[in-house]
Amino acid sequence: MSYLMTTLTKKREVDTIIRDTIDKVLVLRFGRASDPVCLHLDDLLRKSSREVSKFATVALVDIDSEEIQVYVNYFDISFIPSTIFFFNAHHMKMDSGTADHTKWVGAFQKKQDFIDVVEAIYRGAMKGKLIVSCPLPSERIPKYQLLYKDV
Amino acid sequence: MATLADSFLADLDELSDNEADVIEEEDVDAGNMEEDVDGEMADIENLNYDDLDSVSKLQKTQRYVDIMQKVEDALQKGSDISNLGMVLEDDPEYQLIVDCNALSVDIENEIIIIHNFIRDKYRLKFPELESLVHHPIDYARVVKKIGNEMDLTLVDLEGLLPSAIIMVVSVTASTTSGKPLPEEILDKTIDACDRALTLDAAKKKVLDFVESRMGYIAPNLSTIVGSAVAAKLMGTAGGLAALAKMPACNVQLLGAKKKNLAGFSTATSQFRVGYIEQTEIFQSTPPSLRMRACRLLASKSTLAARVDSTRGDPSGNNGRALREEIRKKIEKWQEPPPAKQPKPLPVPDSEPKKKRGGRRLRKMKERYAITDMRKLANRMQFGVPEESSLGDGLGEGYGMLGQAGSGKLRVSVGQSKLAAKVAKKFKEKQYGSSGASSGLTSSLAFTPVQGIELSNPQAHAHQLGSGTQSTYFSETGTFSKIKRT
């Protein structure tokens, strides 16, 4: 489903893309191509990647490859799909009312939601912030339970 | 009569030119003609010329006869491969073609003269015909057909004219003021018509000959527009050199017909295209692109004509290249526009917002501006503790509001424009709906405690409005003491 979007499978590729995206938000989707929610998110990403192309880059990371497990452990990715935002190699956090600010879990309901989130991140990053608040109303934010050691 | 004199003079000019160029035994004839013409010029005032021969002499000239003979021979011989080795000017065929061009122009002038003659004679019979049928040859044919007939229903004009014109002609003929012609004049008129028709046929022959030789004379031009149109263009322009000297806009209009508007018709002639209309390139372009194609064709064919007039490219390659260029351009025009790609969104905050100004914006800003009361409340006097809403420093501070020394006993609420607008809307909603409001209602509320204080808005503005005047420093007071140290 990643028709025109780059899919990354090697650690080195992920490193290069994080390092080389300058002054643009980098959207990394961690997921696998077989999951339906992931497919939904991928479709949205593909459609909007051209529209946000002036201030964001979108890439897909396949969590089934071994090299990527390092990142899976680092970012503590347990739900599929998870999206992590970077700006100039800084990890951008977003407070969307959920427990985990470091990533966005799940898909977006509409293309416009995704664009709004990316724009909020961009504005915050340009101001120098490392954490921004989510512009979406809470109905549009996917809810999930954070499990800590299966509690 | 002026036109007749001019045409005589024109004849004279041609004669003198021809003497320089062509090596024909025309001198004798020219001499004769000049004498005749002089004689005629003398009689011009009392000119009621009855003799057609005195008017049109071309058919009698030796030159005409010679050239026609040569043309007929050449036509019968068929086209032979031209010898390119020979320099063009020496080639007798080329000379013949140059002569043919000049002759075709002469024939045209001659036809016009004869047309004038016929028209003048026929005016007694049917004066309106000349304004209905413009083309000289058509006019001659119609005159010949009608003859001395008064009733046009007996005359069949089918095939000579378009049916609309036939109708108009028949209608006009029924109400014409003309009378039948006397016999001799009628004979002369018919004779003149015949003369015109033979001249026309001769011109056609000449043009056919030129057309057949076109590939040899002007290969580039004939590649682009085709040999028939090329021959016509050359004939109308009066030679290849003349055609080459014309600007392209003129070439476009060579041979354009003037449309005959019957009655109140306001239909303008389509296009303003001449012989170029008959080229196959023009015919094969879709109608919406025809104007552009016509201009393009005219300009490229002018270029080709210029190349041909200097014999720069005898093989015709230039013409083929130009034709290819024309074809490509026309194809490009017909291409659909490129598919629209969705534009990516602009970077956030990259484009500065357009700030507007002006009176309207200022008035709008005034509604939300800081009121004088608020300004007073924001400031404090030095060394004087301010009152607060909850007393003792708690709650909102009142600043200089209500303090001694501000010159006012009470500060009233200034006219808050925002409040006024809101109040007006509220009033409209509440009172406007019923329409029957008591005359004693007002928007001012009377309370027993405060009473009404009407303030002078001007004084207010003076006190605090302008930023340059400050309440901190007194305007009237000065330094109390300046110590010299």
Side-chain angles (χ1 to χ4, degrees), chain A residues 105-124:
Chain A
V105 171
F108 294 89
Q109 278 189 10
K110 285 195 229 163
K111 202 170 86 170
Q112 191 53 45
D113 289 349
F114 169 66
I115 298 176
D116 288 343
V117 163
V118 173
E119 186 184 329
I121 296 211
Y122 182 83
R123 278 190 206 265

Side-chain angles (χ1 to χ4, degrees), chain B residues 323-365:
Chain B
R323 193 195 172 94
E324 194 52 39
E325 206 186 303
I326 292 175
R327 197 186 57 80
K328 270 205 206 112
K329 274 206 181 145
I330 294 183
E331 251 186 59
K332 189 120 200 288
W333 292 340
Q334 292 174 320
E335 250 177 29
K340 238 182 105 160
Q341 288 243 316
K343 240 172 95 166
L345 295 168
V347 178
D349 290 339
S350 67
E351 283 135 18
K353 281 200 281 195
K354 287 173 225 166
K355 299 239 177 284
R356 294 179 165 192
R359 187 174 169 273
R360 192 192 284 204
L361 206 77
R362 258 183 281 127
K363 287 280 183 244
M364 261 186 55
K365 277 194 159 181

Side-chain angles (χ1 to χ4, degrees), chain B residues 1-10 41 44:
Chain B
M1 297 312 135
T3 53
L4 205 57
D6 285 350
S7 49
F8 280 133
L9 285 169
M41 294 286 269
I44 242 171

Side-chain angles (χ1 to χ4, degrees), chain B residues 206-253:
Chain B
V206 166
L207 271 184
D208 279 340
F209 168 66
V210 172
E211 182 184 328
S212 66
R213 292 289 180 276
M214 213 52 201
Y216 168 63
I217 314 167
N220 296 302
L221 183 58
S222 13
T223 334
I224 296 181
V225 296
S227 32
V229 174
K232 287 197 188 118
L233 285 173
M234 236 175 83
T236 326
L240 191 54
L243 182 65
K245 283 194 194 135
M246 278 188 186
C249 48
N250 285 10
V251 170
Q252 183 179 345
L253 293 174

Side-chain angles (χ1 to χ4, degrees), chain B residues 190-204:
Chain B
I190 301 292
D191 187 36
C193 293
D194 287 330
R195 196 74 85 79
L197 292 172
T198 39
L199 274 176
D200 188 48
K203 184 167 150 222
K204 269 205 184 60

Side-chain angles (χ1 to χ4, degrees), chain A residues 19 31 45 47 49 54 63 71 80 109 114 116 122 135:
Chain A
R19 247 201 325 261
L45 289 177
K47 281 184 194 162
S49 66
K54 283 203 174 168
I63 49 169
Y71 283 114
I80 307 296
Q109 278 189 10
F114 169 66
D116 288 343
Y122 182 83

